Amino acid sequence: MFNFFNKSDAEISSDVAIELLWDPRVTSSHINVNSDRGIVTLSGTVPHYFEKKSAEHAAQRVGGVKAVADELEVKGIFDKSDADIAEAALNALRWNYSVPDDIKLAVDSGLITLNGKVDWDYQRQSAKEAVEGLLGVRGVSNHIELKSKPQTKDIKIRIEDALKRSAEVEGKNIDVSINGDKVTLSGNVHSHAESEDARFAAWMAPGVMKVENNIVISR
């Protein structure tokens, strides 16, 4: 039986390049794609950080891709002062329902650093997503931490049940181990997207402070 994900590096590079052209969020024609044993490296320049992340996500969607090394450099036509970026970022956080009020930020040469503590991982991600699309942003370092919470006895069952409910992930192929507030995932899936779905399910469990994703992507 033909394995859709058993591609050569040349085929992977070609498919990623086509995916980048197909994604309307990626406008730059200065992106180079190289694949080595399924590890895709993106290099070149893009005009904005949002496009950099969009290109990375587009590459991750392609079957056969095991990992993406994003070496894209942001050289933009959207340059703003750090003061303007900071003001826009503060407003973006303030107007986002999912972001707590006490998140702090710093801006240095267009690079935003986020700090603070939240209860859930989705709040960390919401803060990052709120600022990464702003004009002039060249990168976002998310240093927001999760607050410690009591460990739920059935946390392993919660995660495994979430994986079984997912239409994208074969939960039976993923093993979940718990050590304090750390979750370790292992097993095999067919794509990077499936691996990310499993990681997301683990972060949604209460009390999780760290997720180590050791899932192997089988070609």
Side-chain angles (χ1 to χ4, degrees), residues 99-104 115-118 147:
V99 180
D101 295 332
D102 56 350
I103 298 301
K104 308 297 182 183
N115 288 284
K117 292 186 177 182
V118 295
K147 298 175 183 177

Side-chain angles (χ1 to χ4, degrees), residues 168-181:
E168 301 296 329
V169 184
E170 294 184 63
K172 63 182 180 181
N173 294 330
I174 298 175
D175 295 320
V176 180
S177 63
I178 309 292
N179 184 9
D181 56 13

Side-chain angles (χ1 to χ4, degrees), residues 10 22 37 51 59 70-71 76 122 130 173 176 183 202 207 217:
W22 181 82
R37 291 169 293 179
E51 188 160 333
D70 186 351
E71 298 180 358
Y122 84 86
N173 294 330
V176 180
V183 174
I217 300 173

Side-chain angles (χ1 to χ4, degrees), residues 13 25 31 64 71-72 89 164 185 192 201 203:
S13 295
R25 299 170 299 177
I31 299 178
E71 298 180 358
L72 291 169
K164 292 175 183 177
L185 302 175
H192 183 85
W203 272 119

Side-chain angles (χ1 to χ4, degrees), residues 50-192:
F50 177 78
E51 188 160 333
K52 173 183 169 75
K53 301 310 294 182
S54 295
E56 181 182 331
H57 294 157
Q60 290 171 345
R61 291 195 299 266
V62 174
V65 173
K66 293 183 177 180
V68 176
D70 186 351
E71 298 180 358
L72 291 169
E73 185 177 357
V74 178
K75 288 187 176 180
I77 57 176
F78 306 111
D79 289 341
K80 300 288 183 182
S81 70
D82 285 344
D84 288 340
I85 295 173
E87 182 180 0
L90 286 171
N91 286 330
L93 294 175
R94 189 177 298 121
W95 284 87
N96 191 305
Y97 174 78
S98 299
V99 180
D101 295 332
D102 56 350
I103 298 301
K104 308 297 182 183
L105 65 85
V107 184
D108 183 9
S109 300
L111 302 176
I112 295 179
T113 300
L114 300 173
N115 288 284
K117 292 186 177 182
V118 295
D119 292 319
W120 298 94
D121 182 62
Y122 84 86
Q123 294 171 314
R124 294 178 65 251
Q125 297 305 319
S126 294
K128 181 175 182 292
E129 292 167 1
V131 301
E132 65 184 5
L134 299 175
L135 292 179
V137 173
R138 295 180 179 272
V140 180
S141 295
N142 194 351
H143 293 168
I144 298 173
E145 300 176 354
L146 295 180
K147 298 175 183 177
S148 297
K149 299 181 67 175
Q151 198 69 12
T152 308
K153 291 182 179 180
D154 61 348
I155 186 171
K156 187 173 186 294
I157 297 176
R158 286 173 179 253
I159 294 174
E160 291 176 337
D161 286 347
L163 293 176
K164 292 175 183 177
R165 290 194 299 270
S166 173
E168 301 296 329
V169 184
E170 294 184 63
K172 63 182 180 181
N173 294 330
I174 298 175
D175 295 320
V176 180
S177 63
I178 309 292
N179 184 9
D181 56 13
K182 177 184 175 181
V183 174
T184 300
L185 302 175
S186 59
N188 294 272
V189 295
H190 296 303
S191 70
H192 183 85

